[in-house]
């Protein structure tokens, strides 16, 4: 018995060392339950019982350029793949943010406000529901007459309309004849394995959480309006005059930047078919959302780029912009570079979609296969913003991130990729300077409580600078620190494992932690706890120096990489790089042993982009 007990104990230790990485990390009760139920696994992969629901959306939209009204007829085939019986059907309509009664995270003008969604017809499984949505916020609820049983599906038919807001933000009127139409259709909100129905309202700060669905949609637009949308344009010959359809098709197979339609051609009314209305048809499958823009005067450029060198698969790269949009003249060229770079460097996974369109608007916002960016009047900054929005292709669109709760899971990665591609585009010195000025300086210079809330804090419960820095700068620094700790090869291997595990699914932070642990073969919980679950900040200090050792105190607590720059009394210099691994055993102080026993004149510790809160104690002189 004693021998068997010892063997069982040893096996238990081996199991915990191999699979029990996240045992030491705080985990909310509902997340623990998901792991216990087998929908998620401690090895970082979806559990054997993982499921997610799915919708097949067929939508016919009409945009009235005179009344600025968007109307739609929509059919949703919704699959309940869970083991739960669903009696309610929460419907999300983000554009209800514009209703005066909807809660918002900030002040708005009268031009932002509108009447919101009106439902003119609602049927579920053929049964009529008397619902007009007048009392809905960004999430409404329909009590179903017949419950949706596990592993079954229902058909939902909705006819609806809503006005485009006069003040454009993430969507709305760009000018009197240009519109960006996003979050434009009622959708079934997410029902997941760890939180059930997602009923958190959209307040215009935290972003989005959507299921992966299949979409076939059409946009009925007046003649002379070109429609740019998520997904593949199915009928170019039906909506474009032959010359312009031919140009578009040519752009799909060439690296040359083509002017599909210039200013004069758009003004002349020779681009689209001269029907009173044209119906533009699009399709996109296994994607988290669709949107579109349209204009009767925007210039239209297009080309393509090889994004998968193994298969020679190309992605279309397009741009739609006003004649005054000087930044956008190079949008296609910049996105050719970005799609190629992201596909082959970081994250190093081929761009997963068939298209990317840059549309001139006001949002500086990402959408599946589209970005809605401002005219910056600064070509370098404009490229960086576009890079950032395109980087979101991977997080949250390739990975189905719950941005509302865990914004750091996508904004942090987009900020990291923005920095890394910036090095390739402009050199490390310029990229470092921008990153420090734009992503770190304001955070590290502000000692307020909001800045030091743990990154794991739910994004929907953060505000102001605390939300912004947790989501962008601090999260990005954690990813860059882990890259330094693991080295590029192992970091990329681990990142790819995480992305392979969860693309097309709904990862949560603990899935990231567990995936990185398993793929790296290292127990990184000390690092994740240090960066995500503490009130740490960045602050190192040189405590003592002698010929054999340098003692560095970690006042702020974050496990950061840094350089030790030494000047000896003979004026020779040495730089010793320390990865975050130096803090694994002792996160308060570290002793750096020196191989060179020469007398030291000066020591400066430099974190680079890991800016120090009190840099005056980072130096020592004899």
């Amino acid at each position: 018995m004693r021998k068997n007990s010892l063997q069982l104990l040893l096996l238990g230790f081996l199991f915990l060392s191999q699979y029990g990485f996240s045992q030491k990390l705080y985990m909310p009760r509902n997340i623990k339950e998901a792991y216990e139920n087998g929908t998620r696994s401690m090895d970082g992969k979806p559990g054997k019982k993982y499921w997610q629901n799915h919708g097949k959306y067929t939508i016919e939209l009409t945009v009235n350029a005179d009344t600025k009204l968007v109307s739609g007829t929509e059919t949703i085939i919704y699959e309940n793949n869970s083991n739960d019986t669903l009696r309610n059907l929460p419907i999300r309509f983000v554009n209800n943010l514009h209703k005066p009664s909807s809660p918002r995270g900030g002040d708005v003008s009268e031009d932002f406000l509108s009447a919101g969604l009106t439902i003119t017809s609602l049927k579920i499984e053929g049964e009529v529901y008397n619902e007009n949505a007048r009392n809905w916020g960004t999430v409404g609820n329909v009590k179903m007459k017949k419950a949706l049983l596990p592993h079954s599906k229902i058909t939902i038919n909705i006819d609806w309309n809503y006005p485009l807001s006069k003040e454009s933000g993430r969507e709305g009127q760009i000018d009197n004849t240009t519109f960006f139409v996003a979050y434009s259709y009622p959708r079934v909100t997410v029902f997941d394995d760890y939180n059930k129905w997602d009923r958190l309202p959209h307040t215009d700060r935290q972003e989005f959480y959507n299921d992966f669905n299949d979409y076939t949609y059409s946009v009925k637009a007046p003649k002379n309006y070109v429609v740019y949308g998520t997904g593949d344009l199915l009928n170019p010959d039906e909506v474009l005059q032959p010359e312009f359809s031919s140009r578009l098709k040519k752009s799909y197979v060439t690296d040359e930047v083509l002017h599909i339609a210039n200013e004069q051609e758009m003004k002349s009314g020779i681009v689209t078919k001269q029907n009173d209305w044209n119906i533009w048809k699009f399709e996109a499958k296994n994607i988290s959302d669709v949107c579109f823009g349209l204009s009767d005067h925007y210039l239209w450029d297009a080309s393509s780029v090889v994004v998968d060198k193994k298969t020679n698969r190309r992605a279309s790269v397009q741009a739609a912009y006003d004649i005054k949009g000087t930044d956008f003249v190079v949008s296609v060229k910049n996105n050719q570079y970005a799609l190629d770079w992201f596909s082959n460097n970081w994250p190093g996974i081929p761009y997963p979609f068939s298209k990317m369109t840059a549309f001139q608007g006001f949002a500086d916002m990402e959408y599946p296969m589209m970005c809605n960016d401002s005219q910056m009047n600064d070509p370098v900054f404009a490229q960086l913003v576009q890079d950032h929005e395109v980087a979101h292709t991977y997080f949250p669109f390739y990975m189905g991130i719950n941005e509302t709760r865990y914004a750091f899971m996508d904004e942090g990665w987009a900020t990291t990729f923005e920095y890394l591609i910036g090095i390739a585009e402009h050199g490390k010195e310029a990229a470092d300077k921008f990153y420090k000025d734009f992503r770190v300086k304001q955070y590290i210079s502000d000692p307020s409580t909001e800045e030091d809330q743990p990154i794991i804090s739910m994004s929907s419960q953060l505000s102001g600078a605390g939300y912004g820095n947790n989501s962008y700068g601090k999260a990005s620094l954690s990813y860059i620190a882990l890259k330094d700790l693991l080295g590029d090869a192992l970091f990329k291997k681990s990142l790819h494992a995480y992305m392979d595990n969860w693309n097309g699914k709904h990862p949560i932070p603990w899935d990231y932690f567990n995936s990185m642990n398993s793929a790296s073969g290292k127990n990184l919980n000390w690092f994740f706890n240090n960066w995500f679950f503490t009130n740490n900040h960045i602050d190192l200090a040189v405590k003592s120096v002698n010929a054999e050792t340098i003692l560095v105190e970690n006042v702020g607590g974050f496990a950061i990489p840094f350089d030790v720059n030494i000047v000896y009394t003979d004026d020779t210099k040495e730089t010793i790089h320390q990865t975050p691994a130096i803090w694994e055993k002792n996160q308060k102080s570290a002793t750096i042993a020196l191989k060179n026993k020469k007398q030291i004149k000066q020591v400066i510790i430099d974190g680079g982009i890991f800016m120090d809160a009190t840099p005056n104690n980072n130096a020592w002189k004899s």
Side-chain angles (χ1 to χ4, degrees):
M1 286 292 291
R2 290 179 63 187
K3 183 178 179 182
N4 289 340
S5 297
L6 188 61
Q7 288 174 334
L8 287 172
L9 187 62
L10 181 60
L11 285 171
F13 278 126
L14 288 171
F15 178 85
L16 285 173
S17 65
Q18 190 171 1
Y19 298 106
F21 293 128
S22 65
Q23 292 297 313
K24 296 179 183 178
L25 296 178
Y26 161 75
M27 191 181 286
R29 285 173 287 168
N30 63 322
I31 305 297
K32 284 182 182 177
E33 187 176 358
Y35 280 91
E36 291 166 359
N37 289 341
T39 56
R40 296 170 193 267
S41 173
M42 300 302 284
D43 63 3
K45 297 178 181 179
K48 293 180 179 178
K49 297 181 180 179
Y50 180 80
W51 54 268
Q52 62 193 47
N53 288 354
H54 180 268
K56 185 176 180 180
Y57 285 69
T58 303
I59 314 172
E60 297 175 2
L61 299 108
T62 300
V63 180
N64 188 313
D66 296 325
T67 64
K68 311 300 191 279
L69 198 71
V70 179
S71 55
T73 296
E74 179 177 354
T75 299
I76 309 169
I77 300 174
Y78 182 72
E79 297 180 44
N80 176 20
N81 296 316
S82 77
N83 290 324
D84 291 68
T85 297
L86 306 181
R87 293 178 170 81
N88 292 287
L89 193 70
I91 302 292
R92 184 171 293 277
F93 187 70
V94 170
N95 261 285
N96 269 354
L97 177 75
H98 296 278
K99 291 177 67 172
S101 58
S102 288
R104 283 177 290 274
D107 296 331
V108 297
S109 72
E110 286 189 13
D111 284 346
F112 184 87
L113 301 176
S114 72
L117 178 71
T118 297
I119 292 178
T120 55
S121 174
L122 173 62
K123 296 178 183 178
I124 302 177
E125 288 294 280
E127 287 200 62
V128 175
Y129 285 69
N130 295 318
E131 178 60 72
N132 58 27
R134 288 177 186 166
N135 296 323
W136 287 9
T138 55
V139 182
N141 188 71
V142 177
K143 178 73 175 177
M144 290 190 287
K145 297 176 183 179
K146 183 179 179 182
L148 175 57
L149 298 177
H151 309 289
S152 62
K153 62 181 71 174
I154 54 173
T155 299
I156 307 157
N157 300 101
I158 315 176
D159 294 349
W160 48 265
N161 62 74
Y162 77 96
L164 287 164
S165 63
K166 187 174 181 181
E167 181 183 288
S168 175
R170 289 187 171 109
E171 34 64 35
Q173 301 178 43
I174 307 299
D175 61 42
N176 197 46
T177 59
T178 304
F179 319 113
F180 197 81
V181 187
Y183 325 118
S184 60
Y185 58 96
R187 64 186 304 148
V188 181
T189 195
V190 176
F191 184 79
D192 62 32
D193 65 309
Y194 65 93
N195 208 56
K196 304 305 179 182
W197 285 117
D198 175 38
R199 298 180 185 270
L200 289 177
H202 177 66
T203 62
D204 208 22
R205 177 181 286 273
Q206 293 81 20
E207 293 179 2
F208 308 102
Y209 181 37
N210 298 315
D211 277 323
F212 286 86
N213 299 313
D214 296 334
Y215 292 90
T216 301
Y217 71 101
S218 64
V219 179
K220 185 178 179 182
K223 68 179 177 182
N224 300 324
Y225 277 77
V226 174
V227 179
Y228 312 85
T230 300
D232 297 321
L233 177 61
L234 301 179
N235 63 332
D237 294 334
E238 294 177 12
V239 292
L240 293 170
Q241 299 284 8
E243 170 63 21
F244 300 93
S245 178
S246 177
R247 293 179 193 177
L248 179 61
K249 292 174 184 176
K250 181 182 176 184
S251 76
Y252 295 157
V253 295
T254 182
D255 294 333
E256 180 187 359
V257 179
L258 304 178
H259 302 295
I260 308 301
N262 62 31
E263 181 187 19
Q264 187 56 47
E265 289 166 336
M266 290 297 295
K267 283 182 177 179
S268 300
I270 60 172
V271 176
T272 72
K273 290 291 181 69
Q274 293 300 289
N275 306 311
D276 288 340
W277 295 85
N278 290 309
I279 298 175
W280 300 68
K281 299 176 182 178
F282 297 88
E283 183 177 68
K285 293 186 177 180
N286 194 37
I287 201 163
S288 57
D289 201 2
V290 293
C291 67
F292 60 94
L294 65 160
S295 177
D296 68 351
H297 64 276
Y298 265 23
L299 283 65
W300 185 7
D301 296 343
S303 186
S304 63
V305 61
V306 174
V307 292
D308 189 340
K309 292 180 180 178
K310 291 182 179 178
T311 63
N312 285 321
R313 177 173 62 85
R314 284 182 172 267
S316 173
V317 183
Q318 301 184 33
Y321 57 98
D322 187 77
I323 188 65
K324 297 177 182 178
T326 54
D327 291 343
F328 290 83
V329 173
V330 292
S331 272
V332 168
K333 182 180 177 182
N334 286 345
N335 265 347
Q336 283 178 306
Y337 182 87
L339 266 59
D340 175 75
W341 197 91
F342 289 140
S343 296
N344 294 292
N345 294 277
W346 295 103
I349 288 176
Y351 179 76
F353 303 127
S354 61
K355 187 195 322 187
M356 172 52 67
T357 300
F359 191 93
Q360 183 182 347
F362 300 107
D364 306 326
M365 181 67 193
E366 72 280 357
Y367 313 78
M369 302 195 210
M370 296 193 78
C371 55
N372 170 359
D373 287 340
S374 309
Q375 166 70 17
M376 301 288 179
N377 296 314
D378 177 345
V380 173
F381 188 60
Q383 183 179 23
L384 179 135
V385 171
Q386 187 170 283
D387 287 345
H388 179 96
E389 309 313 343
V390 173
H392 274 299
T393 290
Y394 296 97
F395 300 85
F397 302 137
Y398 184 72
M399 314 283 284
I401 303 301
N402 186 339
E403 301 175 84
T404 314
R405 293 174 182 268
Y406 305 118
F408 62 86
M409 292 186 72
D410 78 303
E411 295 293 359
W413 282 111
T415 301
T416 298
F417 297 149
E418 155 209 307
Y419 167 65
L420 295 174
I421 195 174
I423 294 173
E425 290 166 344
H426 307 295
K428 191 171 187 305
E429 183 178 352
D432 282 4
K433 183 180 186 305
F434 180 87
Y435 188 91
K436 288 193 287 187
D437 288 347
F438 196 61
R439 298 300 189 188
V440 188
K441 186 177 289 184
Q442 187 174 359
Y443 146 63
I444 204 60
S445 302
D446 181 355
S448 65
T449 305
E450 288 84 354
E451 299 291 17
D452 293 336
Q453 294 170 100
I455 296 174
I456 200 70
S457 303
M458 237 174 71
S459 302
S460 56
Q461 297 179 344
L462 298 172
S463 61
Y467 168 81
N469 288 311
N470 265 13
S471 303
Y472 293 79
K474 283 167 65 179
S476 174
L477 286 167
S478 82
Y479 301 137
I480 295 170
L482 186 57
K483 178 174 177 286
D484 190 273
L485 172 64
L486 295 178
D488 283 3
L490 184 55
F491 179 74
K492 181 174 283 189
K493 172 180 177 286
S494 304
L495 175 60
H496 283 190
Y498 167 49
M499 296 178 76
D500 288 345
N501 288 342
W502 289 98
N503 84 81
K505 300 179 177 67
H506 293 311
I508 54 177
W510 292 266
D511 300 317
Y512 163 66
F513 304 144
N514 292 334
S515 289
M516 298 301 280
N517 277 332
S518 292
S520 69
K522 296 179 181 293
N523 187 342
L524 298 167
N525 275 356
W526 71 271
F527 178 88
F528 295 132
N529 188 69
N530 175 282
W531 269 97
F532 289 87
F533 296 87
T534 70
N535 300 93
N536 288 340
H537 64 284
I538 305 170
D539 190 2
L540 301 183
V542 179
K543 295 301 291 181
S544 64
V545 177
N546 60 50
E548 296 183 349
T549 61
I550 298 171
L551 180 63
V552 179
E553 183 179 3
N554 194 344
V555 180
F558 270 145
I560 69 165
F562 61 96
D563 287 337
V564 182
N565 298 308
I566 305 170
V567 180
Y568 296 99
T569 54
D570 63 2
D571 288 330
T572 58
K573 297 177 180 179
E574 182 180 11
T575 295
I576 305 172
H577 182 70
Q578 300 296 325
T579 79
I582 197 171
W583 306 112
E584 181 173 1
K585 303 302 181 186
N586 183 344
Q587 295 177 25
K588 298 294 185 182
S589 64
T591 300
I592 300 164
L594 302 175
K595 296 179 181 178
N596 192 333
K597 306 303 181 183
K598 292 193 295 185
Q599 192 170 358
I600 297 172
K601 179 165 62 176
Q602 178 179 283
V603 171
I604 299 175
I605 53 176
D606 182 6
I609 60 173
F610 294 83
M611 297 180 70
D612 201 286
T614 58
N616 61 321
N617 59 14
N618 288 11
W620 175 94
K621 286 187 178 181
S622 61

